[in-house]
Amino acid sequence: MCTKPRVIAQDVIYEVTTRCLPELRVFGDETFRDFFLQELRKNLQKYSYSLFSWSIVDNHYHLVLLSSHFSISTFMHRLNTVLAKNYNRINKREGVVLKTRFSSVIVQENNLKELIRHIHLNPVRSGECSLERLNTYKWSGHGDILGNKSEPLINKDKVLSYFSEPNKTEAYESFITSTQNTTGSNQFIKLLREANNGKQSFSNALPWIIGDSQFIQSVLKKDRLRKLRLARHANGNMSLELLRKSIENCMQLSDEELFFKGRLNSRSQARQFFAHIGKMFFDFSCKSIADYLNVSSSSVSKLVWKANGNDKKDAIVSKLCNIEVRAGPIETAIVI
C-alpha cells in the first residue's frame, strides 16, 4: 500500500505520534518508559532537535519537536527502531511492535501553547492521571516545565517565553490546569486529530500543516527546495564514486580500500563517514549506498548510526563539505 507523502522542513514545529499494537501495552512497564525517555534524550542530542512537549500512555506517545537540518523521518526512524527492537528483546518475541508508521503534522508557532496544553493533558483524557495530580505526574512533560524533575527533557525557557506574565511558570500552570477545554473541541484540536488519524487526502499535503495560508506556503516551499536540492545533486554529477574517493583521500587510505570491511580502525571509520555523509548530506538512499558497498540496507543504517556517535565525524564533514545553514534546507557542496 502506498503511504501519504510526508512534508519535510527545517526549523518548524512537528507534533508526532507513534501508536503501538494495543494488545501489547508496550508502555505498561515503567522501566520501559524510562528506557524510551533515555533514547529520546539521545536522539535530541544527536539530531539537534528541541522538545517542547511530550506524554506517554499505555499504547502510544506524543512529542512536540522543533526540527533541525536532519529530517523528521531520520529522527523518528532511529527512535522507533530502537524502541521496537528493545521491546522484542526484553519480551523474547519477534514481529511487529508499532501499529503504523508515525504520524506527523507541522504546526504554526501561534498554535504552540494550545498544542502543548493538548499533549500535556493527554494522560488526563486517557484516565491515567487526574487533573489535580498532573503537577507531580511522571509521564508527561508538564513537570519538566514546572521544575519538578531533576533531568528535564523539554526546552523550558523556550516554552515559558510564550507567556508575558511576570511569573511565567505560574502563568503556564494556570493555562494548563485551569482550562475547561480538556475535550479538545476547538478547531485547532479537531484538525490535529484528523491529521493524526490519517484523514488527509493522498494528493493534498495541506492537512499535514496547520496554520494560515502564508505559513502553509512557506513550509511547502521548504519542502520543494529540499526536493530540488536532491535533483541538483544528481544533475551536478554528485556520485557515490566521487564521495568514496574524496573520503579515501581525506583519510589517507588507498584507492578502493573503503570496499573492505574493518573494525575499530580508520577503514571502519571511513565506511561510517561515507554512509553518514552520503545519507545525511547528499540524500542517497540506504539501498543505493548498500548496493555500492555490497552490504545490506540495515548494515548501512548501522554505519550511519555509528557515525553519529563518532567524535571525529564533524571534523571529516567540515573537511569534505561546505555547509551553509539557512532558513530553508542545508545547501551542501563537496570539496575535492
Side-chain angles (χ1 to χ4, degrees):
M1 179 182 293
C2 293
T3 55
K4 297 181 178 70
R6 197 181 300 281
V7 178
I8 305 293
Q10 180 182 339
D11 298 327
V12 297
I13 297 166
Y14 279 93
E15 188 272 341
V16 296
T17 306
T18 293
R19 297 189 179 277
C20 305
L21 292 176
E23 63 269 22
L24 295 181
R25 294 185 71 248
V26 168
F27 293 109
D29 180 1
E30 291 196 357
T31 301
F32 191 78
R33 291 189 179 195
D34 281 327
F35 167 79
F36 169 77
L37 293 177
Q38 291 170 11
E39 291 304 314
L40 175 59
R41 185 184 301 278
K42 292 178 183 178
N43 256 37
L44 293 170
Q45 294 171 349
K46 282 181 179 296
Y47 299 116
S48 302
Y49 270 52
S50 289
L51 182 67
F52 295 154
S53 179
W54 64 271
S55 66
I56 304 173
V57 295
D58 274 1
N59 67 344
H60 70 276
Y61 66 83
H62 294 271
L63 305 175
V64 178
L65 299 157
L66 177 66
S67 64
S68 70
H69 59 276
F70 292 103
S71 76
I72 189 66
S73 295
T74 298
F75 182 96
M76 292 298 294
H77 173 73
R78 181 192 178 277
L79 184 62
N80 283 341
T81 297
V82 172
L83 182 155
K85 286 183 176 180
N86 187 262
Y87 180 84
N88 280 343
R89 181 184 61 80
I90 291 173
N91 293 277
K92 299 178 180 176
R93 70 181 293 275
E94 296 181 354
V96 175
V97 174
L98 307 182
K99 183 178 179 180
T100 60
R101 70 173 186 154
F102 74 94
S103 66
S104 67
V105 56
I106 296 172
V107 176
Q108 191 169 4
E109 194 170 13
N110 59 4
N111 291 311
L112 181 58
K113 286 171 63 175
E114 183 67 32
L115 176 59
I116 291 171
R117 175 166 64 183
H118 179 69
I119 300 306
H120 284 169
L121 287 175
N122 192 45
V124 177
R125 292 191 301 273
S126 69
E128 289 202 4
C129 173
S130 66
L131 189 60
E132 293 72 24
R133 294 180 53 223
L134 186 62
N135 284 6
T136 57
Y137 184 67
K138 185 177 180 181
W139 306 113
S140 88
H142 180 63
D144 291 29
I145 298 175
L146 295 181
N148 295 339
K149 298 181 181 178
S150 58
E151 296 182 351
L153 288 166
I154 286 180
N155 187 334
K156 173 183 173 180
D157 292 340
K158 178 63 175 179
V159 172
L160 293 181
S161 71
Y162 289 91
F163 295 86
S164 58
E165 294 83 349
N167 190 325
K168 295 180 183 297
T169 303
E170 187 177 287
Y172 161 80
E173 182 182 1
S174 177
F175 177 76
I176 298 294
T177 59
S178 299
T179 177
Q180 299 300 311
N181 183 27
T182 60
T183 59
S185 59
N186 63 47
Q187 183 63 17
F188 167 71
I189 299 302
K190 179 182 177 181
L191 291 173
L192 184 68
R193 284 177 168 164
E194 288 180 352
N196 284 333
N197 290 330
K199 294 185 177 180
Q200 308 94 325
S201 165
F202 182 85
S203 59
N204 179 15
L206 296 188
W208 290 85
I209 310 168
I210 300 177
D212 59 35
S213 58
Q214 184 176 358
F215 174 74
I216 291 172
Q217 291 307 313
S218 69
V219 172
L220 292 177
K221 182 179 179 181
K222 287 184 178 183
D223 189 48
R224 287 195 301 271
L225 287 173
R226 179 185 66 88
K227 293 170 182 175
L228 286 173
R229 178 170 62 92
L230 306 188
R232 285 203 299 272
H233 285 171
N235 293 335
N237 294 321
M238 173 47 58
S239 66
L240 292 172
E241 184 83 358
L242 177 59
L243 179 59
R244 173 185 62 78
K245 290 181 177 180
S246 300
I247 289 178
E248 288 173 344
N249 181 60
C250 178
M251 299 187 68
Q252 298 181 338
L253 299 177
S254 59
D255 187 32
E256 299 190 351
E257 189 171 349
L258 202 67
F259 287 117
F260 300 98
K261 296 181 180 180
R263 291 185 179 181
L264 302 178
N265 55 29
S266 58
R267 184 191 297 163
S268 66
Q269 291 184 351
R271 289 166 67 87
Q272 293 171 20
F273 300 144
F274 174 77
H276 175 82
I277 295 173
K279 179 85 170 73
M280 299 301 184
F281 291 96
F282 293 107
D283 298 284
F284 288 106
S285 68
C286 282
K287 185 179 185 307
S288 63
I289 296 173
D291 290 344
Y292 185 79
L293 292 177
N294 195 27
V295 298
S296 65
S297 294
S298 62
S299 295
V300 172
S301 296
K302 289 178 182 178
L303 289 172
V304 174
W305 179 78
K306 288 180 179 179
N308 282 326
N310 193 314
D311 294 337
K312 298 179 181 179
K313 175 197 65 180
D314 293 339
I316 295 298
V317 170
S318 65
K319 286 182 180 179
L320 289 176
C321 301
N322 290 325
I323 304 169
E324 182 179 359
V325 181
R326 300 175 180 172
I330 286 187
E331 299 293 341
T332 314
I334 196 161
V335 180
I336 305 300

